[in-house]
Amino acid sequence: MVLKPEDILRIAREEAERQRSYRYRINVCCSSGCLPFGALQVLKAFEEAIKEFGLQGECRVSRTGCVGTCSVGPVVLIEPGGYLYQNVTPENAREIVKSHIVSGKPVKELLYANEAFFKKQLRLVLRNAGKIDPLKIEDYIAAGGYSALIKCLTKMTPKEVIDEVIASGLRGRGGAGFPTGQKWNFVAREKNTPKYVVANLDEGDPGVFANRTLAEADPHAIIEGMAIAAYAVGAEKGYIYVRAEYPLAVQTLREALKQARSMNLMGKNILETQFSFDIELRLGAGAFVAGEETGILASIEGRRAMPRPRPPYPATSGLWGKPTLIQNVETLANVPLIILNGGSWFAKIGTPKCTGTKCFSLTGKVNNPGLIEVPMGITLREVVFEIGGGVPSGRRFKAVLVGGPSGGCLPESLLDLSIDYESLTKAGAIMGSGGIVVIDDESCMVDTAWFFTDFCVDESCGKCVPCRVGLLKMRNILERIMKGEGRLEDLDILSELGEYVRDVSLCGLGQTAPNPVLTTLRYFRDEYITHIFDKRCPAGKCFRSQVSMKEAP
Amino acid sequence: MLKEDRRLQMLERIIKEHNYQKSALLEVLHAAHELYGYFDKPLLTYIAERLNLPPSHVYGVASFYHLFKFRKPGEHVISACMGTACYVKGVEEIITAIEREFNIKRGGSSPDGRLSLFVTRCIGACAMAPNITIDNEVVGRATKEVVLDKIRKVLGG
């Protein structure tokens, strides 16, 4: 089927109209958060109940991606009105249909009552999450999807696209925060061809699932963003590098690519224009370092995911030595919105230096864990205590880990810190790919630092000495302290080693891996001292034999 | 590894689809791992020959990635998630309980080969931490009691 831009716009109109004709839309979250709790059975129960009451023409039941409130799954969103039901069972389904749909009375006891969770959020990247069926491309198109790509292909030159992205101030959401438009410019300027676009979905940080959820909920936003990027830089081939540990995300992306191809939105001469672009999926196999930009390249080429020194940067010499644009999937999902609404609209969101929003996985000892999206510049306190609802009762807030295993543990006194790249880095943490783990007084900070260091020891690729040897030494010292055999000079050695590993490691993994140790030494030094002098763990965690978690090969 | 093995034919087809390209190694490893469940020496040597790569390179790549196993897993596989959220929420306690009850060590299998216990680094379901996977079924918000009970059921039935 050969489609033209106007065909897509027509499909969008028709599909939107068709959806408006339903009196109710019942969206059952079937993402990896709700599936283990029986989301598919709930979906089936709704379909059966709709049939039972003869409402097929009036209601649409669909499976969708994540709404965000993963802790109360399975959740069901009923539109219009945005009624969100929590902990829904198949038995509840019939009751909800009977009362809400037939009699117009929402079942109050089952509604999600926690409005604070959504109040401070701004869902741009997650605009469609929980609202559209990720396995139906028509849903995405009806929600305005692919119109940004059409706008680029029919009305804008590649340079204009890049200028718009530059004007938006969008920065890479993978963690480093490099200006996206500038990166595109570098690749676009290269004369060497072919060029490649790589979408990074190797979310290897434990405690982080924002990218996964995005791919499961709205795969076409990633694909459209990639296509626009490819048009802007002049690439014809793209790869999405996704973790194999995310089977649902893999399956959703695979299906989405198939549908995009069938609608002429991918492949040769997209929508009868001069632009050709196709995407291949590549599966990761469990290596944290594969998320590093030169590591990902090695992995796609079928090698060990070992980073290499830069320059040359991937923009000049990436996949098979060709110019390559590497972006995190969240960055790419922002792009269609920027094209449609303009760079200056986007630049007004967030802070002047950090525009837009950021998705975070909010987990750990917090009342409302889940997936959130907030404007840059929001404070950690707002995230932990307002959106997250604070620490479960009976416990006291101790620290918040921002930025994954190589992020930093920040104490209560820093909770008013604004969330943006610069202030986080200044406090010793990083944005990372967006993990916020709340830690309460049940956790020991030395043990926590050990956990992350152990993770990084395990994940170090071993190529450069500071990371390979330095981290191991640091872990051994931490173990000694935890066993009650620590000495005061250990603390100086730890800081010195940490700074050394941070300053001279080859890649991002080594450069950030000491962060948990350095920040806990900075903000929770007294806990280390109690371990060393009093031979006591304030949280009662340590002084048992720690077994290394390394899996035997 | 038998030549008439159907799995080998399937693997061969996948290698052919990739035009015997060296860069397809990781994809081929994925396919082989899915078919066989783990890697042994003959399988890796076979892949090395077909892609015209040194066996050391194939082993080097395969062992670099944590997903791949080099020992035959047990009949039932328990996988404990050791992501940050799961760790903070006490997955360690559940793992220790499994080890004790079923006389098994993390990374290993029970003596009768019926049960294997692995530790993985985050399955990305952190909001439901702690998570334990039993034969690919995720048990979210897991507790020691529920997990032990489920494993007993799996083994009993």
Side-chain angles (χ1 to χ4, degrees):
Chain A
M1 187 165 48
V2 179
L3 294 173
K4 292 190 177 119
E6 51 272 28
D7 296 321
I8 299 295
L9 299 175
R10 180 178 46 80
I11 292 172
R13 262 197 320 274
E14 287 171 3
E15 180 64 25
E17 213 161 284
R18 206 170 68 83
Q19 289 185 14
R20 266 197 302 274
S21 73
Y22 290 112
R23 206 153 57 85
Y24 285 105
R25 291 190 307 280
I26 302 171
N27 298 330
V28 183
C29 170
C30 290
S31 72
S32 50
C34 288
L35 279 179
F37 299 102
L40 287 179
Q41 287 90 313
V42 172
L43 180 74
K44 213 170 136 226
F46 267 105
E47 283 166 348
E48 279 165 8
I50 291 296
K51 242 188 234 156
E52 190 196 326
F53 291 99
L55 295 163
Q56 290 99 318
E58 290 178 58
C59 293
R60 179 182 127 132
V61 182
S62 39
R63 61 174 293 167
T64 64
C66 184
V67 184
T69 53
C70 311
S71 60
V72 291
V75 293
V76 176
L77 180 71
I78 296 189
E79 299 274 18
Y83 292 94
L84 186 64
Y85 287 98
Q86 61 175 1
N87 296 319
V88 181
T89 62
E91 293 76 47
N92 291 152
R94 194 178 175 277
E95 190 188 339
I96 293 171
V97 170
K98 198 174 161 207
S99 170
H100 190 145
I101 310 284
V102 178
S103 317
K105 284 193 210 103
V107 189
K108 277 208 186 97
E109 320 75 88
L110 297 173
L111 280 177
Y112 183 74
N114 208 333
E115 276 169 18
F117 183 78
F118 290 104
K119 212 170 150 197
K120 292 227 157 159
Q121 289 196 52
L122 179 61
R123 290 168 94 86
L124 299 180
V125 171
L126 301 172
R127 57 196 176 273
N128 294 324
K131 293 190 178 143
I132 65 164
D133 183 343
L135 297 174
K136 283 203 182 103
I137 190 170
E138 294 83 2
D139 264 29
Y140 180 69
I141 293 176
Y146 286 110
S147 49
L149 177 64
I150 292 172
K151 185 175 172 190
C152 291
L153 296 183
T154 54
K155 294 196 184 105
M156 295 169 87
T157 64
K159 192 177 172 301
E160 284 168 343
V161 176
I162 295 177
D163 287 343
E164 205 65 63
V165 175
I166 291 178
S168 75
L170 175 68
R171 295 168 69 174
R173 297 295 191 245
F178 191 80
T180 304
Q182 245 185 63
K183 206 182 206 178
W184 289 23
N185 230 344
F186 291 148
V187 182
R189 272 204 312 240
E190 289 295 325
K191 297 271 179 305
N192 199 353
T193 52
K195 296 178 187 176
Y196 299 97
V197 176
V198 174
N200 188 348
L201 213 167
D202 184 69
E203 204 173 28
D205 330 24
V208 180
F209 54 92
N211 290 351
R212 167 192 197 147
T213 316
L214 176 63
E216 285 176 5
D218 199 8
H220 288 287
I222 299 170
I223 296 170
E224 187 182 3
M226 263 179 104
I228 294 171
Y231 173 73
V233 303
E236 292 204 348
K237 172 105 199 172
Y239 292 93
I240 302 180
Y241 187 88
V242 48
R243 284 185 84 193
E245 288 92 332
Y246 288 178
L248 185 62
V250 173
Q251 194 194 330
T252 314
L253 283 166
R254 205 164 262 158
E255 181 61 31
L257 286 173
K258 214 170 91 192
Q259 293 182 4
R261 263 181 224 119
S262 78
M263 283 209 146
N264 219 210
L265 289 158
M266 189 138 296
K268 283 235 166 306
N269 297 95
I270 290 173
L271 300 177
E272 299 234 289
T273 62
Q274 292 299 308
F275 176 57
S276 300
F277 180 62
D278 209 338
I279 298 174
E280 232 180 274
L281 277 191
R282 281 297 160 103
L283 299 192
F288 182 49
V289 71
E292 205 275 342
E293 63 173 8
T294 55
I296 208 171
L297 296 175
S299 192
I300 293 176
E301 290 174 7
R303 296 182 284 123
R304 284 185 269 177
M306 284 181 158
R308 59 161 176 81
R310 294 166 302 179
Y313 288 91
T316 331
S317 174
L319 275 178
W320 297 288
K322 303 291 181 186
T324 303
L325 176 74
I326 304 176
Q327 301 271 220
N328 174 274
V329 291
E330 191 186 329
T331 319
L332 291 164
N334 270 302
V335 169
L337 281 177
I338 292 172
I339 298 299
L340 284 182
N341 300 312
S344 54
W345 163 82
F346 190 86
K348 282 192 205 110
I349 305 162
T351 70
K353 269 186 163 177
C354 274
T355 56
T357 59
K358 176 87 187 89
C359 300
F360 285 102
S361 339
L362 180 61
T363 60
K365 296 294 182 70
V366 62
N367 279 315
N368 316 322
L371 177 72
I372 62 165
E373 184 179 348
V374 287
M376 294 276 191
I378 194 170
T379 66
L380 277 170
R381 190 182 299 279
E382 287 171 289
V383 169
V384 174
F385 284 94
E386 292 184 36
I387 298 173
V391 177
S393 60
R395 288 285 162 192
R396 214 164 38 78
F397 171 89
K398 189 185 233 176
V400 56
L401 176 91
V402 191
S406 51
C409 296
L410 307 179
E412 188 158 16
S413 58
L414 285 177
L415 275 182
D416 292 309
L417 198 72
S418 130
I419 297 183
D420 59 70
Y421 297 96
E422 280 73 24
S423 1
L424 285 178
T425 311
K426 219 172 122 200
I430 53 169
M431 184 76 83
S433 52
I436 295 186
V437 184
V438 181
I439 296 170
D440 69 5
D441 58 350
E442 223 176 0
S443 294
C444 163
M445 297 316 287
V446 184
D447 178 73
T448 308
W450 170 84
F451 173 76
F452 295 123
T453 311
D454 182 62
F455 173 82
C456 291
V457 167
D458 228 22
E459 294 294 333
S460 169
C461 80
K463 187 173 186 171
C464 71
V465 182
C467 176
R468 183 179 68 228
V469 183
L471 289 176
L472 190 70
K473 290 273 174 207
M474 287 170 73
R475 188 188 72 183
N476 293 348
I477 295 174
L478 289 170
E479 272 172 21
R480 204 166 64 219
I481 297 174
M482 286 159 75
K483 279 186 199 152
E485 295 157 11
R487 300 180 292 256
L488 197 58
E489 59 266 31
D490 281 344
L491 301 187
D492 292 333
I493 300 174
L494 271 180
S495 330
E496 213 174 298
L497 256 176
E499 279 162 30
Y500 185 69
V501 173
R502 183 187 67 196
D503 295 342
V504 299
S505 286
L506 175 63
C507 80
L509 189 147
Q511 287 159 8
T512 54
N515 281 343
V517 177
L518 292 175
T519 47
T520 46
L521 275 173
R522 191 156 136 195
Y523 303 120
F524 300 94
R525 200 178 188 86
D526 52 328
E527 284 197 28
Y528 282 87
I529 291 175
T530 316
H531 279 76
I532 293 170
F533 274 116
D534 303 350
K535 310 257 175 269
R536 184 174 68 80
C537 173
K541 270 242 165 191
C542 303
F543 304 106
R544 53 179 165 75
S545 64
Q546 286 287 349
V547 205
S548 168
M549 295 168 314
K550 188 157 175 65
E551 218 171 304
Chain B
M1 212 167 67
L2 295 164
K3 278 278 170 219
E4 58 268 30
D5 192 336
R6 257 194 58 70
R7 291 179 293 189
L8 201 63
Q9 291 171 11
M10 287 162 87
L11 182 60
E12 182 61 32
R13 207 182 60 218
I14 290 159
I15 297 175
K16 204 175 159 191
E17 271 170 25
H18 285 284
N19 290 326
Y20 304 92
Q21 271 173 14
K22 291 181 169 69
S23 64
L25 175 58
L26 200 52
E27 297 290 295
V28 172
L29 285 172
H30 262 297
H33 196 261
E34 202 153 287
L35 287 166
Y36 288 85
Y38 72 108
F39 293 136
D40 58 9
K41 205 173 161 190
L43 182 57
L44 290 176
T45 315
Y46 177 81
I47 294 171
E49 274 170 17
R50 303 309 286 162
L51 296 177
N52 203 10
L53 285 164
S56 59
H57 177 83
V58 173
Y59 177 78
V61 171
S63 60
F64 184 84
Y65 295 95
H66 293 296
L67 189 77
F68 300 132
K69 296 186 172 65
F70 288 81
R71 260 190 254 149
K72 194 174 178 180
E75 210 180 309
H76 299 285
V77 177
I78 315 295
S79 206
C81 179
M82 192 58 106
T84 317
C86 294
Y87 186 71
V88 169
K89 287 226 169 165
V91 75
E92 180 74 40
E93 230 177 277
I94 303 176
I95 300 175
T96 315
I98 299 172
E99 287 181 319
R100 216 171 277 152
E101 165 127 5
F102 300 100
N103 189 22
I104 191 173
K105 278 262 160 274
R106 55 194 86 188
S109 301
S110 59
D112 59 1
R114 292 209 62 205
L115 196 69
S116 292
L117 174 64
F118 296 109
V119 171
T120 53
R121 288 293 193 185
C122 196
I123 56 165
C126 319
M128 285 88 56
N131 294 293
I132 305 276
T133 313
I134 303 176
D135 288 337
N136 289 329
E137 189 206 328
V138 180
V139 183
R141 291 174 225 145
T143 61
K144 209 159 61 183
E145 292 73 28
V146 169
V147 169
L148 291 179
D149 206 46
K150 286 209 176 205
I151 299 175
R152 276 183 221 120
K153 265 198 199 123
V154 167
L155 286 177

